[in-house]
Amino acid sequence: MAYQNLKTAVKEFRTYPKNLQRSQVFRFGLEAYHDRLKEAKDRLFDSDPEYFLVELLETNEKKQDRGHSVEFFSTRCTSLADLKTCLEADHGSGDPRCRHIFFESDHSRAPLDCSSDMFTYVMTHHQVMAPFLDLALAFGRQKVREDFYYTAFRHENYFDPVEGKRFAIPQLGRSGVEYRQCYNLFAVERSDAGGPSWSIRQTAVYHCFDMENGSALWVNISPHSEIKRRITSAACTHRDPSLQPGSRSEENGDMEVVKSFASTLATHLVLIEWSAEHWRSYINSLETATRETLGLVNNVPLQEIEQDSEVLLKSLVVRNLNEARSSAISLSEETPASSSRSRRPLSGITVVGREREQQLPWQKSQMSAERENMDPFAALHGLSFVSLQRLNATRADLHRANLVMKLNQDILTEQIKYYQALLDNDELPLPFKAGCRVHVDEFVRRVGVLARLFAMEQARVTTLLQLLSDGRDLLDKILQFRNIQISTRFSVHAHDSAARMEELTREMHRSTESMHQIAAKTERETSSMHIITLVNLIFLPGTFVATFLGSGLFRWDENDPSQPVPEFRPRFFALFAQICFPLMGITGLIWLVANSWSRWKWKVLPKAFGRGELGGSRLEEDGLDHRID
């Protein structure tokens, strides 16, 4: 009956895990698992048949060497038809004494190298417990890692011989008395590209052991071939006796079952030792990165930086006070000097402006300039927000390592508790428990050593995390101190700029006042010139007429009062014209030349001074004074 039910379930393999004949999960739970597997089909399995590969490593009891050791052979299935051909052969000879099934992928976020039908067919044929899907669904195509380091240890025990007969399948060598368990482990390995980069990788394991026949089944899902390589190397190449299952001999049936049971414990150890292998090297690399970053933080000369910052701030403050004092003194000295500038206003302003220019705030000594340009935070150039990012990245790696080692340690603890409880189970026969006790004790001892190793590495990680936390706090305070000092320095410079602008405003105010005085004087002089011009305009016609008539060009006859018009003398006018008109032309020409030279001077010479082609402030002052005078 159980055999027919299995054949029916195999025909409906796509409904896995709803087609399980025996499960401790409720029916609605099996339906939920089926729906989850269906939803994850596209990301969990590869769609390209070219990459399909499921490898089976199993015993061949027909071929044994002289030492009666069981030989392992490997079968590579690249399609569902290959799987059916390989697994349907069990219906004639029964399940092999030990079978390993390997599902692999290119990397931890790549789909499995098989189809959904191949996976569900294998799961249905071996009636794999449904909770194993919790671990399998953590694999597959993912942009970012999902199920953040999800870990579980699940088991199902079926030790009742009476109930086992209902589910026994003699055609496959399955007694129905068995235990099932699944779990996953994480290990750290160097990246495939080599170098100092590390990757945390996981493997999911399903194991079933028949307590009467001694047959064992292993299903392994890994994003790499390391587990397959180790198991194959131990079982096939080196033929490790600890991984050799017992035979199906009826003469020493109990002893062969015990031997098979011991080989399952050895297989567990292969997986557990892989998970604990490289953690010390990985934590050493994190410790090196931590010390490199913290070395920069702890070796910062904080006392020297604080002293340099204080000296710089004091020099800036003292300089501003001195400038304020000199500004006040110069203002008081310039007030009585206004009367001395009344004689030559603009020339006086030029001289005073030159004296003031020598006292402006930005005219500093070489020593103060060097002090101001001093960088008190030169020792902090190696520390920045990049250093803070490195600290956070190392801290995240340490937290991740601590979590994964804690999860591995919990799995190891669960394994120890499970096998210790297995020996205390009253449903198991006494000869089996007596023969397995020594193997379980050795297994517990070795697993306990690895569990304590995880605990010690976690203690190292905890200490490193505390050092990182202290170093991060110190780095935060150093960066805050630097930002405060820089803000203070900017504030001083802003105050210095404001003082400069205030000084410039005062200088412009003084220049404006002088220009107002010049404008008032010019206005008064212009009014006087207007009056003189008006008087000249009134008397100019009369003056011209009197001068012209009295010049001798006309002759008046005083003895002839009846003469109405004076007699014009052309000879004298010709002499007048010969002398007057050339002088007028020469005077106009001189005026044109002088006017052109003056225009050229005030257009060309300032440009020459601006280019530095002409030197000397005296020339500019003389020219300026000459123009004003």
Side-chain angles (χ1 to χ4, degrees):
M1 185 64 180
Y3 181 63
Q4 293 299 325
N5 292 337
L6 177 62
K7 294 176 68 174
T8 302
V10 169
K11 292 180 181 180
E12 301 174 351
F13 64 90
R14 291 185 178 88
T15 63
Y16 174 82
K18 294 191 296 182
N19 56 3
L20 290 177
Q21 300 182 59
R22 198 177 192 183
S23 177
Q24 294 181 358
V25 180
F26 292 107
R27 186 67 185 176
F28 57 82
L30 296 177
E31 293 176 354
Y33 276 117
H34 174 72
D35 294 339
R36 289 174 58 192
L37 182 61
K38 186 176 181 181
E39 292 175 359
K41 176 181 176 181
D42 293 336
R43 73 168 184 82
L44 185 58
F45 304 105
D46 202 330
S47 58
D48 191 352
E50 182 181 355
Y51 299 102
F52 289 171
L53 177 62
V54 177
E55 188 167 351
L56 282 69
L57 181 67
E58 53 192 15
T59 57
N60 184 2
E61 300 178 17
K62 296 179 181 179
K63 297 181 179 181
Q64 298 182 2
D65 57 15
R66 296 179 180 179
H68 303 288
S69 63
V70 179
E71 181 180 353
F72 281 84
F73 69 96
S74 175
T75 304
R76 298 167 64 89
C77 301
T78 59
S79 64
L80 179 61
D82 292 345
L83 271 178
K84 288 183 177 181
T85 301
C86 180
L87 296 180
E88 286 176 357
D90 297 343
H91 295 272
S93 59
D95 292 336
R97 195 70 166 173
C98 180
R99 169 177 285 168
H100 295 272
I101 303 176
F102 299 100
F103 293 94
E104 296 180 358
S105 62
D106 293 338
H107 51 83
S108 58
R109 291 198 294 271
L112 300 179
D113 295 336
C114 68
S115 65
S116 175
D117 290 345
M118 296 173 70
F119 182 81
T120 53
Y121 186 84
V122 170
M123 298 297 108
T124 300
H125 179 80
H126 295 95
Q127 292 292 288
V128 176
M129 58 190 294
F132 181 62
L133 289 178
D134 286 329
L135 306 178
L137 292 175
F139 295 86
R141 185 183 294 107
Q142 304 171 6
K143 292 183 178 179
V144 294
R145 184 185 293 274
E146 299 178 1
D147 291 330
F148 187 75
Y149 300 111
Y150 173 79
T151 306
F153 178 86
R154 304 287 295 275
H155 62 86
E156 295 178 356
N157 296 333
Y158 303 104
F159 295 151
D160 188 356
V162 178
E163 183 183 2
K165 291 180 181 180
R166 293 173 46 208
F167 298 95
I169 305 176
Q171 295 86 341
L172 297 176
R174 302 178 186 178
S175 67
V177 180
E178 61 188 12
Y179 68 81
R180 307 170 179 175
Q181 60 178 228
C182 63
Y183 59 92
N184 63 336
L185 290 170
F186 293 91
V188 62
E189 295 178 340
R190 293 189 181 274
S191 61
D192 296 335
S197 180
W198 295 84
S199 299
I200 295 180
R201 297 170 179 173
Q202 66 168 323
T203 183
V205 182
Y206 169 79
H207 171 55
C208 177
F209 183 74
D210 194 303
M211 304 294 291
E212 292 186 0
N213 297 328
S215 60
L217 171 69
W218 298 88
V219 179
N220 182 271
I221 302 178
S222 300
H224 49 82
S225 59
E226 181 63 21
I227 298 298
K228 180 178 68 176
R229 186 189 67 80
R230 294 192 179 205
I231 293 178
T232 304
S233 175
C236 299
T237 306
H238 301 287
R239 296 192 179 185
D240 192 332
S242 62
L243 267 69
Q244 292 290 323
S247 65
R248 295 186 185 275
S249 174
E250 295 181 358
E251 298 178 359
N252 299 316
D254 292 338
M255 296 302 298
E256 296 298 330
V257 171
V258 170
K259 184 178 179 181
S260 297
F261 177 78
S263 69
T264 63
L265 298 181
T267 305
H268 282 305
L269 286 174
V270 171
L271 299 171
I272 294 173
E273 289 179 354
W274 165 79
S275 69
E277 191 169 44
H278 296 294
W279 286 106
R280 180 180 178 183
S281 299
Y282 177 55
I283 295 175
N284 286 341
S285 66
L286 294 179
E287 181 181 0
T288 301
T290 301
R291 295 189 182 278
E292 288 178 356
T293 306
L294 293 182
L296 295 175
V297 177
N298 295 328
N299 294 328
V300 171
L302 295 178
Q303 185 175 1
E304 297 179 3
I305 293 175
E306 186 175 4
Q307 292 175 354
D308 293 342
S309 300
E310 290 179 358
V311 170
L312 177 61
L313 291 178
K314 287 180 180 179
S315 64
L316 292 175
V317 172
V318 170
R319 181 175 57 80
N320 288 334
L321 291 177
N322 292 335
E323 290 170 357
R325 275 197 210 107
S326 63
S327 177
I329 294 173
S330 61
L331 285 176
S332 63
E333 290 178 350
E334 289 175 2
T335 303
S338 59
S339 60
S340 64
R341 295 196 297 265
S342 60
R343 184 165 50 91
R344 297 181 63 184
L346 193 57
S347 178
I349 290 175
T350 304
V351 175
V352 174
R354 189 179 301 110
E355 293 176 355
R356 288 292 304 153
E357 192 175 13
Q358 296 176 356
Q359 298 175 2
L360 291 177
W362 54 83
Q363 303 295 325
K364 309 174 184 68
S365 63
Q366 183 68 23
M367 183 179 299
S368 61
E370 292 178 356
R371 183 180 300 171
E372 184 175 351
N373 293 329
M374 178 183 61
D375 186 8
F377 305 106
L380 299 181
H381 288 172
L383 297 177
S384 60
F385 287 105
V386 177
S387 302
L388 193 59
Q389 287 181 333
R390 287 199 297 265
L391 282 177
N392 285 337
T394 306
R395 184 181 182 188
D397 291 339
L398 287 171
H399 276 297
R400 190 180 298 110
N402 196 30
L403 170 65
V404 171
M405 288 190 293
K406 178 65 169 61
L407 296 176
N408 283 348
Q409 185 183 12
D410 291 342
I411 295 296
L412 269 58
T413 303
E414 291 293 330
Q415 285 278 24
I416 291 175
K417 291 180 180 179
Y418 177 80
Y419 281 104
Q420 287 178 337
L422 189 67
L423 296 181
D424 296 334
N425 195 302
D426 296 335
E427 294 177 337
L428 296 179
L430 292 178
F432 173 81
K433 293 193 293 184
C436 292
R437 184 171 297 280
V438 61
H439 301 290
V440 171
D441 291 342
E442 177 64 15
F443 174 78
V444 170
R445 184 191 67 80
R446 295 179 64 178
V447 173
V449 170
L450 297 176
R452 288 190 295 272
L453 176 64
F454 278 123
M456 289 187 291
E457 297 297 338
Q458 290 178 65
R460 292 180 61 196
V461 170
T462 302
T463 303
L464 288 176
L465 284 172
Q466 185 60 44
L467 292 176
L468 268 179
S469 179
D470 296 340
R472 182 183 177 184
D473 292 341
L474 179 58
L475 179 59
D476 287 338
K477 293 178 181 178
I478 291 174
L479 295 178
Q480 290 176 6
F481 172 74
R482 183 183 66 177
N483 294 336
I484 292 173
Q485 294 298 320
I486 292 175
S487 299
T488 305
R489 189 173 180 181
F490 276 128
S491 299
V492 173
H493 281 289
H495 182 271
D496 191 10
S497 299
R500 295 178 183 179
M501 292 303 298
E502 182 180 359
E503 184 66 21
L504 287 174
T505 303
R506 291 176 181 174
E507 191 71 23
M508 292 300 297
H509 179 67
R510 287 190 291 269
S511 299
T512 304
E513 289 181 350
S514 300
M515 294 301 295
H516 284 171
Q517 294 175 4
I518 296 171
K521 183 177 180 180
T522 303
E523 183 179 3
R524 291 194 299 270
E525 293 177 352
T526 303
S527 299
S528 301
M529 292 301 294
H530 286 172
I531 297 173
I532 295 172
T533 303
L534 181 61
V535 173
N536 287 335
L537 288 176
I538 294 174
F539 291 97
L540 184 61
T543 303
F544 173 75
V545 172
T547 303
F548 188 74
L549 293 179
S551 61
L553 297 178
F554 296 90
R555 187 180 65 177
W556 300 85
D557 191 0
E558 297 179 357
N559 297 325
D560 189 8
S562 62
Q563 186 181 3
V565 178
E567 180 184 359
F568 178 70
R569 296 179 177 183
R571 184 170 57 87
F572 289 100
F573 180 77
L575 180 61
F576 173 78
Q578 291 176 1
I579 298 174
C580 181
F581 291 156
L583 288 177
M584 288 177 60
I586 292 172
T587 303
L589 182 61
I590 292 174
W591 179 83
L592 287 175
V593 172
N595 186 51
S596 300
W597 181 82
S598 178
R599 290 178 180 272
W600 174 84
K601 174 183 176 181
W602 298 113
K603 288 183 179 179
V604 177
L605 290 184
K607 296 181 180 178
F609 278 115
R611 296 192 298 266
E613 297 175 358
L614 296 176
S617 60
R618 184 61 187 173
L619 178 59
E620 181 182 1
E621 181 183 359
D622 292 344
L624 181 61
D625 294 343
H626 173 72
R627 183 183 61 169
I628 298 303
D629 291 342

